[in-house]
Amino acid sequence: MSIHPTAIIDPRAQIASSVRIGPYVVIEGPVTIGADTEVGPFTTILGHTTIGENCRIHSRVSLGDIPQDRAFHNEPTSCIIGNNVIIREGVTVHRGTGEGSATLVADNCFLMTNAHIGHNCELEKGVTMISGSLLGGYVHVGERAIISGNAAVHQFCRIGTMAMIGGLSKIVQDIPPYMMTDHAGEVVAINLVGLKRAGLNADERKDLKAAFRILYRDGYTHRHAMEILKERNFCSAVDPLLDFLNETSARGLTKGAA
């Protein structure tokens, strides 16, 4: 284990022998850090925080601090970071509110400079948060979604898999899988580049574009659009979209841009 002599490490912490900890790091509480993870200078890791293997945590990051939530009363909660996560300078990830709850960041996420993840959020695998993006409490972000720079997501919103949130977006309602938003947070198109990068073939992309038109371009109500989507014989690539639309929503579905 390589620990800089200026680092302060709580004796309750469980740190793998191959972890590297930089200058002026503070680890306070029963923190767990997995093999081959690097922790950069001036980083603070608090509470019941678990960090997986092969993570790269840069300078001045704060993980597992108490939530910015008046409902929090010092109950035991946690912050869980997966494997192969990159966390750049100034990122903050708070632990959960509500006894036994957690804030979760899954494997292979990339959190760029000054991104913020509020209490009780859940990021699935491969999510990218670009510099300055913000998630309020209880936000759920689907696999391989991208939250662009300085976008802000209201608490309790859901962001679907492979959605692309535009820069400076104001997201106050759910964004379905595969969709792209403008800066006003309205859906403007399907994330075609993301679909190609994910390896979806031409037929799958064709079905998803058809589903997008039914949902956002043909003038149907949400209820009527759902009925049409269920009747169509789409390929399995559309299933995550249908599942998302069938789930209970606290905020409702965002509208399409005019």
Side-chain angles (χ1 to χ4, degrees):
M1 188 186 304
S2 173
I3 300 179
H4 194 275
T6 60
I8 301 173
I9 311 296
D10 194 306
R12 294 173 292 173
Q14 300 181 36
I15 301 173
S17 60
S18 55
V19 169
R20 294 172 292 282
I21 296 175
Y24 302 103
V25 170
V26 175
I27 296 176
E28 179 183 317
V31 171
T32 300
I33 304 179
D36 298 315
T37 287
E38 296 182 8
V39 182
F42 296 98
T43 284
T44 302
I45 306 174
L46 305 172
H48 292 268
T49 295
T50 299
I51 300 168
E53 298 180 356
N54 199 38
C55 295
R56 297 294 176 266
I57 302 169
H58 289 249
S59 62
R60 302 183 187 277
V61 168
S62 176
L63 302 176
D65 208 339
I66 63 172
Q68 298 175 130
D69 184 1
R70 294 183 186 275
F72 181 75
H73 298 295
N74 207 35
E75 63 269 22
T77 63
S78 59
C79 171
I80 301 173
I81 310 294
N83 301 317
N84 307 304
V85 176
I86 299 172
I87 305 179
R88 294 304 305 252
E89 300 88 336
V91 167
T92 53
V93 184
H94 291 166
R95 62 185 186 253
T97 289
E99 186 169 354
S101 69
T103 301
L104 306 173
V105 178
D107 298 350
N108 302 307
C109 288
F110 187 4
L111 312 179
M112 297 187 191
T113 53
N114 298 312
H116 170 69
I117 299 174
H119 59 89
N120 302 86
C121 287
E122 181 177 353
L123 277 62
E124 296 185 15
K125 292 181 179 179
V127 169
T128 298
M129 291 185 62
I130 297 173
S131 299
S133 54
L134 310 172
L135 303 182
Y138 298 96
V139 170
H140 185 281
V141 184
E143 190 168 342
R144 298 182 68 170
I146 297 175
I147 315 294
S148 294
N150 294 310
V153 183
H154 193 285
Q155 61 183 355
F156 294 103
C157 284
R158 299 179 299 145
I159 309 297
T161 182
M162 281 190 271
M164 176 73 166
I165 305 304
L168 302 173
S169 284
K170 179 183 70 174
I171 305 300
V172 297
Q173 292 183 298
D174 296 347
I175 307 298
Y178 313 119
M179 304 301 168
M180 294 180 63
T181 77
D182 60 11
H183 69 277
E186 297 179 346
V187 171
V188 294
I190 199 162
N191 183 14
L192 188 58
V193 172
L195 300 182
K196 290 179 178 179
R197 288 175 176 172
L200 275 71
N201 62 41
D203 289 337
E204 291 170 324
R205 298 196 303 270
K206 180 180 178 181
D207 276 1
L208 286 168
K209 286 189 281 187
F212 163 76
R213 287 193 297 271
I214 292 168
L215 192 58
Y216 282 110
R217 289 291 179 264
D218 290 344
Y220 300 117
T221 64
H222 181 201
R223 184 186 298 274
H224 192 186
M226 281 292 298
E227 292 172 354
I228 296 170
L229 289 170
K230 290 176 182 178
E231 291 171 358
R232 294 285 293 271
N233 188 26
F234 286 126
C235 68
S236 61
V238 182
D239 289 347
L241 174 60
L242 298 177
D243 292 342
F244 185 96
L245 297 173
N246 281 318
E247 291 173 358
T248 300
S249 171
R251 298 288 304 169
L253 193 68
T254 194
K255 65 180 181 179

